[in-house]
Amino acid sequence: MKPLIGISCGTFHDRDWCPPSFGHRQTYVDAILRAGGAPLLIPPVPDELTLRILFDRLDGLLLAGGGDIAPANYGAEPHANLGTVDPLRDSAELPMARWAVAEGKPVLGICRGIQVLNVALGGTLYQDIPSEIENALAHNLSYEREDWTHLAHELRLAPGSRLRQLLGVERLLVNSLHHQAVRKLAPGLRAVAWAPDDVIEAVEGSGEGFVVGVQCHPEALQGGADPRWQRLFAAFVNSCGTEQRRAARAA
Ligand code: MN
């Protein structure tokens, strides 16, 4: 049996007169498939009971990339440079992130996903890096270059972190397609990677369970640009497939 990995969907608007679509980029699905998981797209359903039914079926949760989280979720007023928000998606992802951490269901957050993890557990965000952090790097450089594999800046990984152990290096170059970042770190998370300007680029849970968030887009690198990132997806999917987790689900 392959572990069932839920990928939380974003809302996509193509034409004004068409209903929006729920979905995600193929690279997330590819990365989970390559790692041996069975990917399942989770729509942002509006009621928590239905959301819970979907969540309960999952062996692991992938919080994928996307737009900005509505700042009211972390007690802030909207900044002038706040990007597009998706309140329905917020209302689905924030509870699922909290459930996953509380119940020991493995969770991997990517880009928006690291931000969802942090906000769900009580942290806050920079709403716009260029206008809120002095001398910040160009964290949206890969987006501006229109190249998901463009290596925009270095990461420095914390000793003793899961990520450093998996990647086997202290520093590496990553893509960067974000204008928001973790500000106040949530209780229960620790920072494990930083950009050269000290922006937090990865977090891990303080407990035993698999709780990892990265600000870069490893799903876009693992297929060729930097195959070392396959190890992150493999570790995530493996942690979802352990006998212990299956036993816990059956109980
Ligand atoms: Mn960055």
Side-chain angles (χ1 to χ4, degrees):
M1 279 285 284
K2 292 184 176 196
L4 193 61
I5 311 296
I7 303 174
S8 58
C9 288
T11 310
F12 290 82
H13 302 269
D14 47 0
R15 291 171 181 82
D16 286 347
W17 56 273
C18 292
S21 306
F22 295 140
H24 243 301
R25 300 195 190 280
Q26 184 184 348
T27 39
Y28 295 104
V29 169
D30 289 345
I32 295 302
L33 285 174
R34 186 195 288 271
L40 183 70
L41 298 181
I42 304 293
V45 294
D47 80 289
E48 207 163 286
L49 185 64
T50 307
L51 194 65
R52 185 71 222 195
I53 289 168
L54 297 173
F55 177 82
D56 281 342
R57 301 290 176 97
L58 306 176
D59 296 309
L61 176 66
L62 173 58
L63 298 165
D68 295 347
I69 299 167
N73 289 298
Y74 48 96
E77 293 294 322
H79 184 281
N81 296 341
L82 178 71
T84 308
V85 295
D86 184 346
L88 184 59
R89 186 175 178 189
D90 291 348
S91 71
E93 288 187 331
L94 290 166
M96 285 200 292
R98 279 190 285 268
W99 294 337
V101 173
E103 298 162 32
K105 189 171 289 199
V107 56
L108 173 61
I110 292 177
C111 196
R112 171 191 160 92
I114 185 181
Q115 298 166 11
V116 168
L117 258 181
N118 190 52
V119 169
L121 302 180
T124 67
L125 302 178
Y126 288 107
Q127 293 190 41
D128 182 57
I129 294 171
S131 50
E132 292 185 300
I133 304 178
E134 230 178 302
N135 301 319
L137 291 171
H139 283 274
N140 213 18
L141 192 60
S142 313
Y143 185 86
E144 286 159 13
R145 296 277 177 94
E146 299 185 352
D147 180 1
W148 286 78
T149 65
H150 177 75
L151 300 173
H153 64 70
E154 195 177 55
L155 282 198
R156 155 177 117 247
L157 299 167
S161 62
R162 191 191 288 266
L163 214 49
R164 171 129 164 217
Q165 192 186 7
L166 283 171
L167 294 167
V169 289
E170 188 186 331
R171 291 164 193 272
L172 79 168
L173 289 165
V174 293
N175 50 3
S176 196
L177 299 93
H178 62 114
H179 84 116
Q180 299 205 319
V182 170
R183 186 172 203 149
K184 191 194 92 187
L185 196 62
L189 291 179
R190 70 172 186 125
V192 297
W194 300 265
D197 57 7
D198 290 331
V199 165
I200 293 176
E201 289 271 340
V203 299
E204 291 178 9
S206 44
E208 284 293 294
F210 191 103
V211 179
V212 176
V214 293
Q215 188 59 71
C216 65
H217 280 276
E219 84 288 356
L221 299 175
Q222 60 83 32
D226 190 345
R228 287 177 292 187
W229 287 104
Q230 289 171 17
R231 301 175 201 159
L232 173 63
F233 292 98
F236 170 52
V237 170
N238 286 340
S239 73
C240 300
T242 61
E243 290 309 312
Q244 291 90 324
R245 274 216 44 72
R246 296 188 177 288
R249 275 187 65 213

